[in-house]
Amino acid sequence: MGGIRYPPIGKCIYCGSTQPPLTREHVIPRGLGGDKSLTGESEAMVLQKASCEPCRKITARVEEECLLGMFGATRAHLGMTRKDRRKDTHPGLYLPLRKEDGPLRREVKLNQATSEFLIAEFGPAEPLLGGKDFTYPSPISFRSAPTDSTGEPPALVALSYNINWLTFARMLAKIAHGAAVSALGIDGFKPLVTDLIRGKTDAWQKCVGGYGPQQPSPGPGLHSMKVFRHDQYWLVNIRLFAMFGAPTNYVIVGEANSG
């Protein structure tokens, strides 16, 4: 997808509305570095005139919950927080990941509090299961980002991790849908995830999946994505925080057009 320029879409990529105002859409949230280009690309993946105001508010809420929750501490450590937003200046000592047996608590050194972050590793999405049973979701993955050494004796703090699996899946779907539009065009596929993104359904297992527990090595760049076809479906691989060895999840964004 390198070198692609993104002309104005002219309608909302989520609901199809042409009602102004239509705003630009960062495929990767700005709070995750979406205003910068991915490795190998010449410009940031930003779609112009691509989101109506109601859908903009919906996607903003989804992104905010993920960015301030599971990625809050990591973003603070990497300098990704936006100083113009009061909610985004929290140091990230509380990371809101829901587990069946309750929140997971850890005691960590204060100068390491922003060195650990969470990536959910999903199992295969239902259309690609091939009739096999699978338990959702897969185990949580803790990955480490580089830390700064202060030389001072660290204090101890308790971190509470909570993940809202549905909201994280909706954010992945939002990123993947935008990536597919940028690569294939707004009419280049039959979308399958817009209802999930807009909160019209919570059946994320039908379209958001992964490759099971992984132990990948660090990849180039902060994030990576790949749009590809699998049988009658278009999929997008998403690897957030790839440079820290995070796992890859995928989204079945749509069906291929006939012909």
Side-chain angles (χ1 to χ4, degrees), residues 102-168:
L104 173 63
R105 297 186 64 83
R106 289 190 176 191
E107 192 175 71
V108 299
K109 296 177 180 180
L110 183 59
N111 66 345
Q112 295 177 340
T114 58
S115 69
E116 200 170 53
F117 64 98
L118 304 169
I119 292 287
E121 296 179 299
F122 295 112
E126 288 179 1
L128 303 185
L129 278 175
K132 299 178 181 178
D133 190 20
F134 202 91
T135 301
Y136 296 93
S138 297
I140 297 161
S141 175
F142 289 89
R143 309 283 172 168
S144 294
T147 59
D148 296 322
S149 176
T150 63
E152 298 293 330
L156 294 178
V157 296
L159 298 184
S160 179
Y161 295 89
N162 286 298
I163 282 181
N164 185 317
W165 297 97
L166 172 60
T167 304
F168 181 50

Side-chain angles (χ1 to χ4, degrees), residues 76-87:
H77 180 74
L78 297 176
M80 290 182 171
T81 54
R82 296 180 61 181
K83 304 305 180 183
D84 60 328
R85 294 186 178 182
R86 179 173 297 181
K87 288 183 178 180

Side-chain angles (χ1 to χ4, degrees), residues 7-254:
I9 302 298
K11 64 180 178 180
C12 180
I13 64 174
Y14 305 113
C15 71
S17 173
T18 58
Q19 182 69 31
L22 293 173
T23 59
R24 63 182 180 179
E25 185 71 355
H26 289 78
V27 174
I28 296 177
R30 287 185 64 190
L32 290 179
D35 54 349
K36 300 177 176 62
S37 61
L38 296 175
T39 300
E41 293 200 359
S42 62
E43 61 182 283
M45 195 176 296
V46 182
L47 305 178
Q48 304 296 328
K49 294 186 178 181
S51 181
C52 69
E53 185 62 12
C55 288
R56 184 198 67 79
K57 291 180 178 179
I58 291 171
T59 57
R61 286 195 298 269
V62 170
E63 290 178 353
E64 183 177 273
E65 182 171 338
C66 291
L67 298 187
L68 298 182
M70 61 187 294
F71 297 134
T74 303
R75 292 176 57 244
H77 180 74
L78 297 176
M80 290 182 171
T81 54
R82 296 180 61 181
K83 304 305 180 183
D84 60 328
R85 294 186 178 182
R86 179 173 297 181
K87 288 183 178 180
D88 213 6
T89 59
H90 193 281
L93 296 183
Y94 174 73
L95 304 183
L97 186 43
R98 192 168 298 131
K99 292 171 62 68
E100 293 180 359
D101 55 351
L104 173 63
R105 297 186 64 83
R106 289 190 176 191
E107 192 175 71
V108 299
K109 296 177 180 180
L110 183 59
N111 66 345
Q112 295 177 340
T114 58
S115 69
E116 200 170 53
F117 64 98
L118 304 169
I119 292 287
E121 296 179 299
F122 295 112
E126 288 179 1
L128 303 185
L129 278 175
K132 299 178 181 178
D133 190 20
F134 202 91
T135 301
Y136 296 93
S138 297
I140 297 161
S141 175
F142 289 89
R143 309 283 172 168
S144 294
T147 59
D148 296 322
S149 176
T150 63
E152 298 293 330
L156 294 178
V157 296
L159 298 184
S160 179
Y161 295 89
N162 286 298
I163 282 181
N164 185 317
W165 297 97
L166 172 60
T167 304
F168 181 50
R170 290 177 68 191
M171 189 182 79
L172 290 180
K174 178 263 180 190
I175 294 172
H177 181 68
V181 171
S182 70
L184 306 173
I186 188 65
D187 299 317
F189 62 104
K190 298 176 183 178
L192 295 176
V193 297
T194 51
D195 281 349
L196 174 65
I197 296 168
R198 298 169 64 210
K200 302 295 184 181
T201 179
D202 59 2
W204 59 268
Q205 296 96 332
K206 294 183 179 297
C207 52
V208 179
Y211 302 98
Q214 303 167 56
Q215 294 182 332
S217 59
L222 183 61
H223 313 300
S224 64
M225 288 191 295
K226 178 183 179 182
V227 180
F228 65 101
R229 184 168 173 174
H230 178 83
D231 295 332
Q232 75 268 34
Y233 298 110
W234 282 103
L235 281 72
V236 180
N237 276 350
I238 302 174
R239 194 180 183 194
L240 300 177
F241 297 104
M243 65 187 300
F244 302 128
T248 300
N249 289 302
Y250 66 78
V251 180
I252 304 174
V253 291

